[in-house]
């Protein structure tokens, strides 16, 4: 199966069955909006003892933003904040075109298949909307600790 086909199947599966698209009891949330296409995603995280206990998102978005959001939640749920921050940073760096190590790509798991979005400038914001929301949540969480 070609990489393009795997990418397409991944996007369609997460878009259709976005199991992380649900409302949760959370103590951190951040809304992201892309006025160019209408994506409007709110990242919801329940953070306890520096661990992402639960993660979900609500809102509307295209197939890419929905799939990317769902993948993000899968990756950071249950992780320590420091690990979740690293995952988010690596994904955003990958989409910016930075080369990642094999280990970093492995840690991104399914999200690594979204790498080619960096070649589609109009879709970059779709793919990174929730990831930037999570990044902001982590920054606020860190600032509130001090």
């Amino acid at each position: 199966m070609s990489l393009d086909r795997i990418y397409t199947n991944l996007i369609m599966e997460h878009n259709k069955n976005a199991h992380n698209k649900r409302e949760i009891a959370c103590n951190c949330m951040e809304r992201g909006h892309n006025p160019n296409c209408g994506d409007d995603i709110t990242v919801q995280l329940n953070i306890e003892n520096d661990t992402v206990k639960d993660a979900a998102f609500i809102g509307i978005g295209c197939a890419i933003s929905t799939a990317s959001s769902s993948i993000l939640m899968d990756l950071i749920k249950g992780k320590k904040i420091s690990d979740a921050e690293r995952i988010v940073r690596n994904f955003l760096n990958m989409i910016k075109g930075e080369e990642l190590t094999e280990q970093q790509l492995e840690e991104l798991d399914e999200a690594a298949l979204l790498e080619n979005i960096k070649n589609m400038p109009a879709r970059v914001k779709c793919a990174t909307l929730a990831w930037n929301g999570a990044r902001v949540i982590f920054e606020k969480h860190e600032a509130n600790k001090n």
Side-chain angles (χ1 to χ4, degrees), residues 105-140:
L105 288 170
E106 281 180 27
E107 187 173 44
L108 287 179
D109 195 35
E110 288 183 327
L113 293 173
L114 301 175
E115 182 178 18
N116 285 337
I117 288 176
K118 69 184 176 194
N119 300 319
M120 299 177 264
R123 307 306 282 177
V124 166
K125 191 159 186 182
C126 300
T128 60
L129 197 59
W131 297 78
N132 279 314
R135 179 187 51 78
V136 169
I137 288 172
F138 297 145
E139 288 171 358
K140 287 179 180 178

mmCIF file of all heavy atoms in Angstrom, residues 105-140:
data_model
loop_
_atom_site.group_PDB
_atom_site.id
_atom_site.type_symbol
_atom_site.label_atom_id
_atom_site.label_comp_id
_atom_site.label_asym_id
_atom_site.label_seq_id
_atom_site.Cartn_x
_atom_site.Cartn_y
_atom_site.Cartn_z
ATOM 1 N N LEU A 105 10.248 10.594 15.383
ATOM 2 C CA LEU A 105 9.179 10.155 14.489
ATOM 3 C C LEU A 105 8.417 8.970 15.074
ATOM 4 O O LEU A 105 7.183 8.904 14.973
ATOM 5 C CB LEU A 105 9.743 9.795 13.114
ATOM 6 C CG LEU A 105 10.206 10.979 12.260
ATOM 7 C CD1 LEU A 105 10.961 10.489 11.036
ATOM 8 C CD2 LEU A 105 9.038 11.863 11.868
ATOM 9 N N GLU A 106 9.145 8.044 15.707
ATOM 10 C CA GLU A 106 8.492 6.900 16.345
ATOM 11 C C GLU A 106 7.557 7.356 17.453
ATOM 12 O O GLU A 106 6.453 6.830 17.613
ATOM 13 C CB GLU A 106 9.532 5.927 16.899
ATOM 14 C CG GLU A 106 10.146 5.042 15.851
ATOM 15 C CD GLU A 106 11.172 4.076 16.431
ATOM 16 O OE1 GLU A 106 11.061 3.720 17.631
ATOM 17 O OE2 GLU A 106 12.083 3.684 15.678
ATOM 18 N N GLU A 107 7.990 8.345 18.223
ATOM 19 C CA GLU A 107 7.161 8.845 19.315
ATOM 20 C C GLU A 107 5.891 9.524 18.787
ATOM 21 O O GLU A 107 4.844 9.485 19.432
ATOM 22 C CB GLU A 107 7.957 9.822 20.192
ATOM 23 C CG GLU A 107 7.202 10.242 21.429
ATOM 24 C CD GLU A 107 8.035 11.064 22.386
ATOM 25 O OE1 GLU A 107 8.764 11.973 21.933
ATOM 26 O OE2 GLU A 107 7.927 10.811 23.596
ATOM 27 N N LEU A 108 5.978 10.108 17.598
ATOM 28 C CA LEU A 108 4.800 10.736 16.994
ATOM 29 C C LEU A 108 3.809 9.707 16.460
ATOM 30 O O LEU A 108 2.650 10.037 16.192
ATOM 31 C CB LEU A 108 5.212 11.689 15.868
ATOM 32 C CG LEU A 108 5.850 12.998 16.288
ATOM 33 C CD1 LEU A 108 6.222 13.823 15.062
ATOM 34 C CD2 LEU A 108 4.943 13.793 17.202
ATOM 35 N N ASP A 109 4.256 8.484 16.283
ATOM 36 C CA ASP A 109 3.390 7.392 15.865
ATOM 37 C C ASP A 109 2.583 7.801 14.624
ATOM 38 O O ASP A 109 3.160 8.220 13.633
ATOM 39 C CB ASP A 109 2.504 6.965 17.039
ATOM 40 C CG ASP A 109 1.839 5.617 16.837
ATOM 41 O OD1 ASP A 109 2.463 4.735 16.218
ATOM 42 O OD2 ASP A 109 0.692 5.448 17.293
ATOM 43 N N GLU A 110 1.257 7.698 14.663
ATOM 44 C CA GLU A 110 0.424 8.020 13.500
ATOM 45 C C GLU A 110 0.579 9.460 13.036
ATOM 46 O O GLU A 110 0.451 9.756 11.852
ATOM 47 C CB GLU A 110 -1.058 7.778 13.813
ATOM 48 C CG GLU A 110 -1.464 6.348 13.908
ATOM 49 C CD GLU A 110 -2.948 6.201 14.158
ATOM 50 O OE1 GLU A 110 -3.551 7.062 14.834
ATOM 51 O OE2 GLU A 110 -3.506 5.209 13.655
ATOM 52 N N ALA A 111 0.867 10.354 13.953
ATOM 53 C CA ALA A 111 1.010 11.766 13.598
ATOM 54 C C ALA A 111 2.144 11.990 12.597
ATOM 55 O O ALA A 111 2.104 12.934 11.807
ATOM 56 C CB ALA A 111 1.231 12.620 14.838
ATOM 57 N N ALA A 112 3.135 11.110 12.607
ATOM 58 C CA ALA A 112 4.251 11.237 11.662
ATOM 59 C C ALA A 112 3.775 11.111 10.220
ATOM 60 O O ALA A 112 4.392 11.653 9.302
ATOM 61 C CB ALA A 112 5.328 10.202 11.968
ATOM 62 N N LEU A 113 2.659 10.418 10.014
ATOM 63 C CA LEU A 113 2.125 10.267 8.659
ATOM 64 C C LEU A 113 1.555 11.583 8.121
ATOM 65 O O LEU A 113 1.288 11.693 6.922
ATOM 66 C CB LEU A 113 1.051 9.183 8.622
ATOM 67 C CG LEU A 113 1.552 7.760 8.881
ATOM 68 C CD1 LEU A 113 0.387 6.800 9.000
ATOM 69 C CD2 LEU A 113 2.510 7.311 7.788
ATOM 70 N N LEU A 114 1.390 12.568 8.980
ATOM 71 C CA LEU A 114 0.880 13.881 8.545
ATOM 72 C C LEU A 114 2.006 14.811 8.080
ATOM 73 O O LEU A 114 1.758 15.959 7.726
ATOM 74 C CB LEU A 114 0.097 14.548 9.681
ATOM 75 C CG LEU A 114 -1.114 13.772 10.201
ATOM 76 C CD1 LEU A 114 -1.730 14.492 11.398
ATOM 77 C CD2 LEU A 114 -2.139 13.565 9.114
ATOM 78 N N GLU A 115 3.215 14.302 8.042
ATOM 79 C CA GLU A 115 4.380 15.120 7.678
ATOM 80 C C GLU A 115 4.219 15.834 6.341
ATOM 81 O O GLU A 115 4.631 16.975 6.179
ATOM 82 C CB GLU A 115 5.640 14.262 7.657
ATOM 83 C CG GLU A 115 6.889 15.052 7.335
ATOM 84 C CD GLU A 115 8.148 14.205 7.370
ATOM 85 O OE1 GLU A 115 8.050 12.964 7.311
ATOM 86 O OE2 GLU A 115 9.232 14.801 7.452
ATOM 87 N N ASN A 116 3.607 15.189 5.358
ATOM 88 C CA ASN A 116 3.489 15.793 4.031
ATOM 89 C C ASN A 116 2.605 17.034 4.004
ATOM 90 O O ASN A 116 2.597 17.763 3.017
ATOM 91 C CB ASN A 116 2.982 14.766 3.017
ATOM 92 C CG ASN A 116 4.072 13.793 2.646
ATOM 93 O OD1 ASN A 116 5.265 14.085 2.768
ATOM 94 N ND2 ASN A 116 3.678 12.613 2.215
ATOM 95 N N ILE A 117 1.881 17.284 5.074
ATOM 96 C CA ILE A 117 1.053 18.491 5.130
ATOM 97 C C ILE A 117 1.930 19.736 5.040
ATOM 98 O O ILE A 117 1.482 20.770 4.569
ATOM 99 C CB ILE A 117 0.152 18.479 6.381
ATOM 100 C CG1 ILE A 117 -0.951 17.439 6.161
ATOM 101 C CG2 ILE A 117 -0.426 19.846 6.677
ATOM 102 C CD1 ILE A 117 -1.867 17.222 7.307
ATOM 103 N N LYS A 118 3.184 19.607 5.443
ATOM 104 C CA LYS A 118 4.089 20.753 5.342
ATOM 105 C C LYS A 118 4.207 21.245 3.897
ATOM 106 O O LYS A 118 4.536 22.409 3.654
ATOM 107 C CB LYS A 118 5.472 20.410 5.899
ATOM 108 C CG LYS A 118 6.249 19.419 5.062
ATOM 109 C CD LYS A 118 7.550 19.041 5.706
ATOM 110 C CE LYS A 118 8.254 17.976 4.885
ATOM 111 N NZ LYS A 118 9.334 17.352 5.610
ATOM 112 N N ASN A 119 3.893 20.387 2.932
ATOM 113 C CA ASN A 119 3.953 20.761 1.516
ATOM 114 C C ASN A 119 2.629 21.345 1.008
ATOM 115 O O ASN A 119 2.505 21.632 -0.174
ATOM 116 C CB ASN A 119 4.321 19.536 0.674
ATOM 117 C CG ASN A 119 5.666 18.973 1.075
ATOM 118 O OD1 ASN A 119 6.610 19.704 1.343
ATOM 119 N ND2 ASN A 119 5.752 17.661 1.141
ATOM 120 N N MET A 120 1.656 21.475 1.895
ATOM 121 C CA MET A 120 0.346 22.025 1.539
ATOM 122 C C MET A 120 0.057 23.229 2.443
ATOM 123 O O MET A 120 -0.663 23.091 3.444
ATOM 124 C CB MET A 120 -0.740 20.964 1.713
ATOM 125 C CG MET A 120 -0.559 19.746 0.845
ATOM 126 S SD MET A 120 -1.845 18.506 1.175
ATOM 127 C CE MET A 120 -0.994 17.437 2.332
ATOM 128 N N PRO A 121 0.612 24.385 2.136
ATOM 129 C CA PRO A 121 0.502 25.544 3.038
ATOM 130 C C PRO A 121 -0.920 25.879 3.474
ATOM 131 O O PRO A 121 -1.141 26.275 4.623
ATOM 132 C CB PRO A 121 1.101 26.692 2.221
ATOM 133 C CG PRO A 121 1.980 26.029 1.223
ATOM 134 C CD PRO A 121 1.373 24.691 0.942
ATOM 135 N N ALA A 122 -1.891 25.689 2.609
ATOM 136 C CA ALA A 122 -3.269 26.009 2.967
ATOM 137 C C ALA A 122 -3.831 25.058 4.019
ATOM 138 O O ALA A 122 -4.816 25.379 4.686
ATOM 139 C CB ALA A 122 -4.156 25.985 1.723
ATOM 140 N N ARG A 123 -3.219 23.905 4.203
ATOM 141 C CA ARG A 123 -3.722 22.896 5.145
ATOM 142 C C ARG A 123 -2.928 22.833 6.454
ATOM 143 O O ARG A 123 -3.337 22.157 7.392
ATOM 144 C CB ARG A 123 -3.710 21.509 4.490
ATOM 145 C CG ARG A 123 -4.434 21.447 3.162
ATOM 146 C CD ARG A 123 -5.854 21.947 3.236
ATOM 147 N NE ARG A 123 -6.677 20.910 3.834
ATOM 148 C CZ ARG A 123 -7.957 21.024 4.111
ATOM 149 N NH1 ARG A 123 -8.578 22.141 3.859
ATOM 150 N NH2 ARG A 123 -8.620 20.045 4.642
ATOM 151 N N VAL A 124 -1.811 23.560 6.514
ATOM 152 C CA VAL A 124 -0.963 23.515 7.706
ATOM 153 C C VAL A 124 -1.734 23.959 8.946
ATOM 154 O O VAL A 124 -1.678 23.306 9.993
ATOM 155 C CB VAL A 124 0.319 24.358 7.514
ATOM 156 C CG1 VAL A 124 1.042 24.600 8.825
ATOM 157 C CG2 VAL A 124 1.254 23.658 6.524
ATOM 158 N N LYS A 125 -2.469 25.059 8.844
ATOM 159 C CA LYS A 125 -3.206 25.545 10.009
ATOM 160 C C LYS A 125 -4.279 24.541 10.433
ATOM 161 O O LYS A 125 -4.543 24.378 11.620
ATOM 162 C CB LYS A 125 -3.819 26.912 9.743
ATOM 163 C CG LYS A 125 -4.346 27.542 11.006
ATOM 164 C CD LYS A 125 -4.497 29.024 10.905
ATOM 165 C CE LYS A 125 -4.885 29.574 12.259
ATOM 166 N NZ LYS A 125 -5.097 30.988 12.243
ATOM 167 N N CYS A 126 -4.875 23.855 9.470
ATOM 168 C CA CYS A 126 -5.863 22.817 9.797
ATOM 169 C C CYS A 126 -5.214 21.728 10.656
ATOM 170 O O CYS A 126 -5.772 21.315 11.673
ATOM 171 C CB CYS A 126 -6.428 22.185 8.527
ATOM 172 S SG CYS A 126 -7.253 23.325 7.410
ATOM 173 N N ALA A 127 -4.067 21.272 10.236
ATOM 174 C CA ALA A 127 -3.386 20.173 10.916
ATOM 175 C C ALA A 127 -2.820 20.571 12.269
ATOM 176 O O ALA A 127 -2.696 19.730 13.160
ATOM 177 C CB ALA A 127 -2.268 19.631 10.029
ATOM 178 N N THR A 128 -2.485 21.843 12.447
ATOM 179 C CA THR A 128 -1.815 22.274 13.674
ATOM 180 C C THR A 128 -2.737 22.985 14.661
ATOM 181 O O THR A 128 -2.304 23.327 15.760
ATOM 182 C CB THR A 128 -0.630 23.201 13.344
ATOM 183 O OG1 THR A 128 -1.104 24.352 12.646
ATOM 184 C CG2 THR A 128 0.423 22.483 12.522
ATOM 185 N N LEU A 129 -3.983 23.174 14.317
ATOM 186 C CA LEU A 129 -4.895 23.945 15.167
ATOM 187 C C LEU A 129 -4.954 23.397 16.592
ATOM 188 O O LEU A 129 -4.712 24.127 17.564
ATOM 189 C CB LEU A 129 -6.291 23.963 14.525
ATOM 190 C CG LEU A 129 -7.271 25.004 15.026
ATOM 191 C CD1 LEU A 129 -6.747 26.414 14.833
ATOM 192 C CD2 LEU A 129 -8.603 24.852 14.291
ATOM 193 N N ALA A 130 -5.263 22.146 16.759
ATOM 194 C CA ALA A 130 -5.353 21.552 18.098
ATOM 195 C C ALA A 130 -3.980 21.471 18.768
ATOM 196 O O ALA A 130 -3.865 21.665 19.981
ATOM 197 C CB ALA A 130 -5.980 20.159 18.021
ATOM 198 N N TRP A 131 -2.952 21.194 17.976
ATOM 199 C CA TRP A 131 -1.598 21.087 18.536
ATOM 200 C C TRP A 131 -1.154 22.416 19.125
ATOM 201 O O TRP A 131 -0.543 22.454 20.192
ATOM 202 C CB TRP A 131 -0.614 20.623 17.458
ATOM 203 C CG TRP A 131 -0.926 19.253 16.943
ATOM 204 C CD1 TRP A 131 -1.904 18.919 16.037
ATOM 205 C CD2 TRP A 131 -0.299 18.020 17.297
ATOM 206 N NE1 TRP A 131 -1.902 17.564 15.810
ATOM 207 C CE2 TRP A 131 -0.929 16.991 16.564
ATOM 208 C CE3 TRP A 131 0.749 17.705 18.150
ATOM 209 C CZ2 TRP A 131 -0.548 15.658 16.676
ATOM 210 C CZ3 TRP A 131 1.137 16.368 18.257
ATOM 211 C CH2 TRP A 131 0.489 15.367 17.531
ATOM 212 N N ASN A 132 -1.478 23.515 18.440
ATOM 213 C CA ASN A 132 -1.152 24.834 18.991
ATOM 214 C C ASN A 132 -1.989 25.119 20.236
ATOM 215 O O ASN A 132 -1.505 25.744 21.177
ATOM 216 C CB ASN A 132 -1.342 25.922 17.930
ATOM 217 C CG ASN A 132 -0.157 26.007 17.004
ATOM 218 O OD1 ASN A 132 0.987 26.004 17.437
ATOM 219 N ND2 ASN A 132 -0.422 26.060 15.717
ATOM 220 N N GLY A 133 -3.223 24.655 20.251
ATOM 221 C CA GLY A 133 -4.044 24.801 21.447
ATOM 222 C C GLY A 133 -3.439 24.078 22.636
ATOM 223 O O GLY A 133 -3.379 24.617 23.748
ATOM 224 N N ALA A 134 -2.977 22.861 22.417
ATOM 225 C CA ALA A 134 -2.327 22.101 23.489
ATOM 226 C C ALA A 134 -1.047 22.805 23.942
ATOM 227 O O ALA A 134 -0.772 22.888 25.147
ATOM 228 C CB ALA A 134 -2.013 20.684 23.018
ATOM 229 N N ARG A 135 -0.287 23.337 22.992
ATOM 230 C CA ARG A 135 0.952 24.054 23.332
ATOM 231 C C ARG A 135 0.643 25.235 24.257
ATOM 232 O O ARG A 135 1.310 25.438 25.269
ATOM 233 C CB ARG A 135 1.642 24.553 22.053
ATOM 234 C CG ARG A 135 2.939 25.332 22.301
ATOM 235 C CD ARG A 135 3.483 25.936 21.004
ATOM 236 N NE ARG A 135 2.512 26.702 20.253
ATOM 237 C CZ ARG A 135 2.122 27.955 20.552
ATOM 238 N NH1 ARG A 135 2.618 28.565 21.614
ATOM 239 N NH2 ARG A 135 1.247 28.591 19.796
ATOM 240 N N VAL A 136 -0.400 25.992 23.940
ATOM 241 C CA VAL A 136 -0.789 27.138 24.762
ATOM 242 C C VAL A 136 -1.221 26.677 26.154
ATOM 243 O O VAL A 136 -0.849 27.289 27.161
ATOM 244 C CB VAL A 136 -1.902 27.959 24.069
ATOM 245 C CG1 VAL A 136 -2.504 28.991 25.008
ATOM 246 C CG2 VAL A 136 -1.362 28.629 22.811
ATOM 247 N N ILE A 137 -1.995 25.602 26.224
ATOM 248 C CA ILE A 137 -2.401 25.067 27.526
ATOM 249 C C ILE A 137 -1.180 24.717 28.363
ATOM 250 O O ILE A 137 -1.105 25.056 29.551
ATOM 251 C CB ILE A 137 -3.317 23.832 27.364
ATOM 252 C CG1 ILE A 137 -4.691 24.271 26.849
ATOM 253 C CG2 ILE A 137 -3.437 23.058 28.679
ATOM 254 C CD1 ILE A 137 -5.609 23.113 26.465
ATOM 255 N N PHE A 138 -0.202 24.045 27.772
ATOM 256 C CA PHE A 138 0.996 23.653 28.514
ATOM 257 C C PHE A 138 1.783 24.882 28.974
ATOM 258 O O PHE A 138 2.302 24.903 30.098
ATOM 259 C CB PHE A 138 1.878 22.721 27.688
ATOM 260 C CG PHE A 138 1.222 21.411 27.350
ATOM 261 C CD1 PHE A 138 1.467 20.791 26.134
ATOM 262 C CD2 PHE A 138 0.345 20.783 28.225
ATOM 263 C CE1 PHE A 138 0.864 19.582 25.805
ATOM 264 C CE2 PHE A 138 -0.268 19.574 27.911
ATOM 265 C CZ PHE A 138 -0.004 18.973 26.702
ATOM 266 N N GLU A 139 1.863 25.906 28.122
ATOM 267 C CA GLU A 139 2.554 27.139 28.508
ATOM 268 C C GLU A 139 1.850 27.809 29.683
ATOM 269 O O GLU A 139 2.499 28.265 30.633
ATOM 270 C CB GLU A 139 2.632 28.102 27.317
ATOM 271 C CG GLU A 139 3.608 27.667 26.251
ATOM 272 C CD GLU A 139 3.532 28.516 24.978
ATOM 273 O OE1 GLU A 139 2.692 29.437 24.897
ATOM 274 O OE2 GLU A 139 4.321 28.241 24.057
ATOM 275 N N LYS A 140 0.530 27.882 29.637
ATOM 276 C CA LYS A 140 -0.239 28.481 30.740
ATOM 277 C C LYS A 140 -0.089 27.656 32.012
ATOM 278 O O LYS A 140 0.049 28.201 33.113
ATOM 279 C CB LYS A 140 -1.718 28.584 30.369
ATOM 280 C CG LYS A 140 -2.022 29.660 29.349
ATOM 281 C CD LYS A 140 -3.507 29.671 29.009
ATOM 282 C CE LYS A 140 -3.841 30.739 27.986
ATOM 283 N NZ LYS A 140 -5.280 30.703 27.625
#
